[in-house]
Amino acid sequence: MKVPDGSALELSRFVRDRYLDSDNYQTREFTRRGITGLLITGGVPRDRADWCDVVESITGLEINERSRAAAGLVLLETARGTYALSYGVGQHMLDPYHRDDEFGLEFATRCLDDAGVIKIRNQIMDGRGRVDEYSVSRGERIDDFGLERFAAVVRRICGTVSGLPLTSLQSGKVRQVRVECSQAAIKLPLATSMEQFLSDLGVIEDVCARPDPLPQLRFVSRVHTLDNRSRKAVDAQKILEAQLTDPDSPRLTIGVPDSCQEGYSSAQAFRVRRGTQTIELHEFELRHLLQFVKDKPPGERLKGLGDLRITMFSDDDFQTPAGVTTNGKEWLIADIPLGSDRLFYGNGKWFEVGAGFIETLEEELTNLFAQPQTVTLPHWTKGPLNSDGQDTHDEDWFNHKTAEQDGYLLFDKDTVRTAKFRGGGLEICDILGPDNQLICIKKALATTAPLNHLFAQGVVAVETLRSDIAVRGKFLTQVAAHTPDHRMLNDFGTLRVVFGILLKDGMDIAVNSLFAFAQVSLLQAVRRLRAMNAEVEVIAIRR
């Protein structure tokens, strides 16, 4: 939880008033091992569960079952912070105003296993309110998800942790634990005894205190929120305030807060409340949000949205909450142009679209170029000139030279022709490597165009092999004609695309040796290929 300005605050201030005032909930203070805290427990008993009528109607059988939505909330202070532990539906009792929305991702980006990412949820920074989610059954590297890194905000990340002195890991029963981290929350197994629990909490605090995130997850924290007092945020908010009177604005839309994503798909009703004013809806739209602030003066409208409390319900009679209560600002999405800049407002925060672009671009390229090579490419020497004064050691010569190596198969100009790919057909690769590497070769001595063509060739080849059964069948037939027992005939899972590039004078491939447009084109290709379960390798061909 976040304490405003670091000042002392009664723990009860973190709890919504209606739970403190209700006879159905009990509030008690406690002190143990130097830790002071507050415990709130309770629930609303019902003599008859809300689904009984539906079941009776379907089955014709009489049914009468009671239900009670139990909730537990523990608030406690340590020397380094204030924390809330929720049990059952206890998270509903927290006032969202006091959440520390950096906490969960700070933890995740500093301790997740390198190849342990299981799920990622991205908020795309545009005016559509789109959220992308990627998940796998087993942990993978973050690079393998093919994420959009320059115009998206990571909202949630789930993965494994194995290198921390957590109680569950030290017990020796498991080698790793799964954690799920959103902006303000961490879900992970914690110890149940006070002494061990405090030890686990200390581990979490130590992780969050690390100055830097892990290299592979640095891009997550690079998309920082803008300080609301910064010039860009202030100017963008003035524009936004003016638009908050127009429910038809193309720059505004409704976005589902991360804390409501799980329940939104089954939500049947919504309650919006500000003070004594309440509306109940079965469809929640932008106009419903803005009607509470349209009469407020500029400068007060966004603040007014923050005063709204919105609750989703999984039934149409407003009895069963489908998620935590949120404020109105968390549902607003805005895409605001500001001169040559573009700012995004989402989940109650300002972001600059493209912030950290250069740092992330150079970091990804550096990591890509540093990967070990899995194929051997010969030197591309200069040959005698032909009658036209051209070097006879052209790309055809180099491909044949490479294919002379044991296990390398020449496919240059050996195109695949189908009903779709007529005429010149489709060239899958120049050379097939010994371990299923699709090797694509290009000389780029003066312009970026050959490299753009090279990267596109790799993407189209993998995309077509994955999706076009006719192309795949003919290519495998070609492979079998070369080598009847080739590994690719029985192993078509993970592919590897190798871009072999000859730069001027055979210079090394580095961030500063590639044309700027080629850098962007390469990374776009890499993301698309990794999303199709294809590894990528870039090799500098020497003179």
Side-chain angles (χ1 to χ4, degrees):
M1 307 301 291
K2 180 173 286 188
V3 179
D5 302 321
S7 57
L9 191 67
E10 291 290 331
L11 292 177
S12 59
R13 290 284 302 278
F14 296 107
V15 184
R16 296 165 65 201
D17 290 340
R18 71 187 188 93
Y19 292 97
L20 296 173
D21 300 336
S22 172
D23 293 335
N24 293 313
Y25 294 85
Q26 183 181 17
T27 302
R28 289 172 286 175
E29 297 179 350
F30 68 90
T31 301
R32 288 197 68 193
R33 297 185 179 273
I35 298 294
T36 60
L38 192 67
L39 171 65
I40 306 99
T41 56
V44 180
R46 296 180 188 170
D47 291 334
R48 182 176 170 84
D50 56 7
W51 46 265
C52 289
D53 291 341
V54 175
V55 174
E56 282 188 351
S57 176
I58 293 173
T59 65
L61 302 176
E62 184 177 346
I63 182 170
N64 189 28
E65 299 292 342
R66 300 185 59 172
S67 70
R68 183 174 185 269
L73 184 67
V74 178
L75 291 161
L76 53 86
E77 292 180 292
T78 70
R80 291 193 275 183
T82 303
Y83 302 93
L85 308 175
S86 70
Y87 302 88
V89 292
Q91 70 271 22
H92 294 296
M93 293 189 276
L94 285 172
D95 187 337
Y97 176 81
H98 295 293
R99 293 185 316 220
D100 180 357
D101 286 334
E102 308 295 331
F103 173 59
L105 294 181
E106 275 186 356
F107 178 78
T109 56
R110 285 160 173 77
C111 68
L112 285 186
D113 293 336
D114 182 37
V117 180
I118 296 170
K119 181 171 69 175
I120 295 181
R121 182 177 294 160
N122 255 3
Q123 171 82 60
I124 305 302
M125 290 196 287
D126 61 19
R128 296 173 293 169
R130 194 183 99 204
V131 174
D132 289 347
E133 185 164 297
Y134 309 78
S135 62
V136 293
S137 59
R138 299 192 311 177
E140 290 190 4
R141 298 175 306 153
I142 189 75
D143 288 342
D144 294 337
F145 286 83
L147 295 176
E148 167 58 64
R149 300 191 180 194
F150 301 128
V153 182
V154 174
R155 293 296 189 202
R156 184 176 296 253
I157 185 167
C158 174
T160 61
V161 169
S162 59
L164 298 179
L166 293 167
T167 302
S168 53
L169 292 174
Q170 290 182 312
S171 67
K173 295 181 180 179
V174 294
R175 293 185 301 171
Q176 59 186 26
V177 295
R178 288 193 177 190
V179 300
E180 184 170 350
C181 302
S182 57
Q183 291 175 298
I186 304 172
K187 294 181 181 180
L188 79 166
L190 294 173
T192 54
S193 70
M194 186 61 171
E195 183 176 356
Q196 291 181 327
F197 165 74
L198 291 179
S199 174
D200 284 349
L201 185 56
V203 171
I204 294 172
E205 292 179 319
D206 289 341
V207 170
C208 291
R210 294 174 183 173
D212 298 309
L214 298 167
Q216 67 271 21
L217 294 171
R218 195 173 291 146
F219 78 95
V220 175
S221 58
R222 187 166 284 142
V223 186
H224 286 299
T225 57
L226 288 176
D227 189 320
N228 287 336
R229 297 166 296 181
S230 69
R231 177 186 57 81
K232 288 183 179 180
V234 170
D235 290 347
Q237 187 153 322
K238 289 179 182 177
I239 299 174
L240 176 58
E241 287 279 343
Q243 295 192 3
L244 289 178
T245 59
D246 181 11
D248 297 319
S249 170
R251 295 286 178 182
L252 306 180
T253 190
I254 287 288
V256 182
D258 186 72
S259 56
C260 297
Q261 288 284 342
E262 304 300 333
Y264 182 75
S265 58
S266 61
Q268 304 299 318
F270 302 82
R271 177 180 290 145
V272 186
R273 174 179 294 156
R274 187 184 68 189
T276 58
Q277 183 183 3
T278 300
I279 59 172
E280 294 184 336
L281 311 158
H282 292 95
E283 292 291 338
F284 184 42
E285 300 176 356
L286 179 65
R287 59 189 176 88
H288 300 128
L289 191 67
L290 300 188
Q291 77 175 59
F292 284 87
V293 298
K294 62 183 180 181
D295 296 329
K296 286 184 172 291
E300 294 294 323
R301 293 165 188 158
L302 195 58
K303 181 179 180 296
L305 289 180
D307 295 333
L308 301 183
R309 294 295 178 262
I310 300 170
T311 306
M312 305 184 304
F313 294 87
S314 58
D315 50 16
D316 55 13
D317 56 358
F318 302 90
Q319 296 297 313
T320 307
V324 298
T325 296
T326 52
N327 68 62
K329 290 198 295 186
E330 294 180 82
W331 288 81
L332 180 67
I333 295 291
D335 184 9
I336 304 296
L338 191 65
S340 60
D341 297 319
R342 187 167 143 244
L343 272 66
F344 173 79
Y345 186 84
N347 269 50
K349 299 182 179 65
W350 284 107
F351 300 87
E352 186 173 3
V353 179
F357 174 83
I358 298 298
E359 295 91 338
T360 301
L361 179 77
E362 293 183 350
E363 185 177 273
E364 288 192 65
L365 288 172
T366 300
N367 292 337
L368 177 65
F369 299 152
Q371 291 182 2
Q373 300 179 7
T374 64
V375 298
T376 302
L377 299 181
H379 282 54
W380 195 329
T381 59
K382 294 182 179 180
L385 301 181
N386 61 19
S387 58
D388 295 326
Q390 296 175 329
D391 188 349
T392 55
H393 284 186
D394 55 9
E395 187 176 313
D396 180 70
W397 172 88
F398 181 81
N399 289 335
H400 278 82
K401 186 74 174 176
T402 303
E404 290 175 1
Q405 302 176 96
D406 188 37
Y408 291 72
L409 303 180
L410 181 66
F411 278 89
D412 183 28
K413 300 182 179 64
D414 196 355
T415 57
V416 174
R417 293 178 176 84
T418 65
K420 179 179 179 181
F421 293 98
R422 299 186 297 271
L426 175 67
E427 185 179 282
I428 298 297
C429 61
D430 293 313
I431 303 118
L432 181 63
D435 291 315
N436 287 3
Q437 299 101 331
L438 303 177
I439 305 172
C440 302
I441 302 298
K442 194 61 66 177
K443 179 192 296 185
L445 304 183
T447 68
T448 190
L451 293 182
N452 296 335
H453 175 80
L454 175 72
F455 304 146
Q457 177 190 0
V459 172
V460 171
V462 172
E463 197 169 59
T464 308
L465 285 175
R466 292 282 192 225
S467 59
D468 192 320
I469 191 170
V471 170
R472 183 167 63 248
K474 289 201 172 186
F475 179 66
L476 292 178
T477 298
Q478 291 176 344
V479 173
H482 281 283
T483 309
D485 59 348
H486 198 282
R487 172 185 162 186
M488 178 166 277
L489 302 176
N490 298 311
D491 180 9
F492 205 75
T494 302
L495 294 173
R496 177 177 289 271
V497 176
V498 178
F499 294 124
I501 301 172
L502 174 65
L503 296 179
K504 185 178 180 181
D505 299 324
M507 66 189 301
D508 197 10
I509 295 177
V511 173
N512 57 6
S513 65
L514 278 185
F515 309 107
F517 192 84
Q519 295 178 16
V520 177
S521 180
L522 172 58
L523 280 187
Q524 289 175 338
V526 167
R527 288 200 192 93
R528 290 183 64 184
L529 288 166
R530 285 174 173 168
M532 294 185 287
N533 196 24
E535 297 289 341
V536 182
E537 188 175 325
V538 180
I539 298 179
I541 301 173
R542 304 302 184 183
R543 275 296 197 191

